Amino acid sequence: TFRVAALGRMARGDEVGALDLVRELDELLRDRPGPRSWILNGAARVCLAADEAGLLRSLIDQGVEFLTRDQNSMASARAMLAEIEGDHERASARYQDAADRWEAFPAVLEHGLALMGAGRCLLALGRQNEGTERLRAARDRFGGLGAAPLIGEVDDLLARATSKTS
């Protein structure tokens, strides 16, 4: 699928290729809002990694929120957009909302990603204790999935947070 291919390209450092796939998806699904929400999670992560607010805004603007999963995906995407825009206060609140939604859904991966996003934003706000708490919770979720790359990402964030408080 496009989403997996785009995330795979990001993992290999091919940001341009990943964004090209997300742009292609955006065009293919224009005026077809139903399936847009199903690709939003992966596409939003690509946009976040590439700092691409315009493309993410386009994906959000044409999304739908009929099903709980759609609503949760849109909540996560809006949190990522706020983070890209540098509004860490709003982003941390939106990530926490998304984390609560994904926990209730349940979707362990998305729950962990929302917790990690909240942790990143809280650290950016200088709220080390709250940030590390969210990051440790995210690490637990990723550990349960055996998601070594995400565990490594969280560990890097935790190491930076620890070095700032020492």
Side-chain angles (χ1 to χ4, degrees):
T1 69
F2 278 101
R3 179 177 63 179
V4 173
L7 290 171
R9 287 185 180 189
M10 283 303 289
R12 289 190 308 274
D14 182 8
E15 184 176 292
V16 172
L19 282 170
D20 284 347
L21 284 174
V22 173
R23 283 188 187 98
E24 186 175 347
L25 265 176
D26 187 37
E27 277 303 310
L28 286 171
L29 297 178
R30 192 158 301 279
D31 302 320
R32 297 177 62 201
R36 290 178 77 83
S37 295
W38 290 88
I39 58 97
L40 188 55
N41 296 332
R45 283 195 290 279
V46 169
C47 291
L48 176 65
D51 200 32
E52 183 56 56
L55 180 56
L56 181 52
R57 195 173 293 106
S58 176
L59 293 166
I60 291 169
D61 288 348
Q62 293 198 47
V64 296
E65 297 186 62
F66 297 130
L67 304 173
T68 301
R69 187 184 192 292
D70 300 333
Q71 294 164 6
N72 295 357
S73 294
M74 292 291 275
S76 289
R78 287 183 181 115
M80 289 181 226
L81 182 58
E83 185 177 5
I84 291 170
E85 292 173 340
D87 189 343
H88 294 107
E89 190 69 50
R90 185 173 47 138
S92 67
R94 287 186 172 184
Y95 274 125
Q96 189 58 56
D97 174 58
D100 294 343
R101 290 169 176 268
W102 287 117
E103 183 178 30
F105 186 65
V108 177
L109 175 62
E110 295 302 330
H111 181 218
L113 289 166
L115 288 168
M116 185 168 65
R120 270 193 318 269
C121 291
L122 289 164
L123 292 179
L125 291 166
R127 293 160 57 185
Q128 305 307 104
N129 291 339
E130 292 173 85
T132 56
E133 177 185 307
R134 298 307 187 294
L135 290 171
R136 286 187 183 119
R139 191 183 196 292
D140 288 345
R141 301 318 174 275
F142 299 148
L145 296 172
L150 291 171
I151 292 168
E153 200 174 324
V154 170
D155 286 347
D156 288 347
L157 289 166
L158 286 168
R160 277 186 263 155
T162 304
S163 70
K164 286 182 181 178
T165 59
S166 338

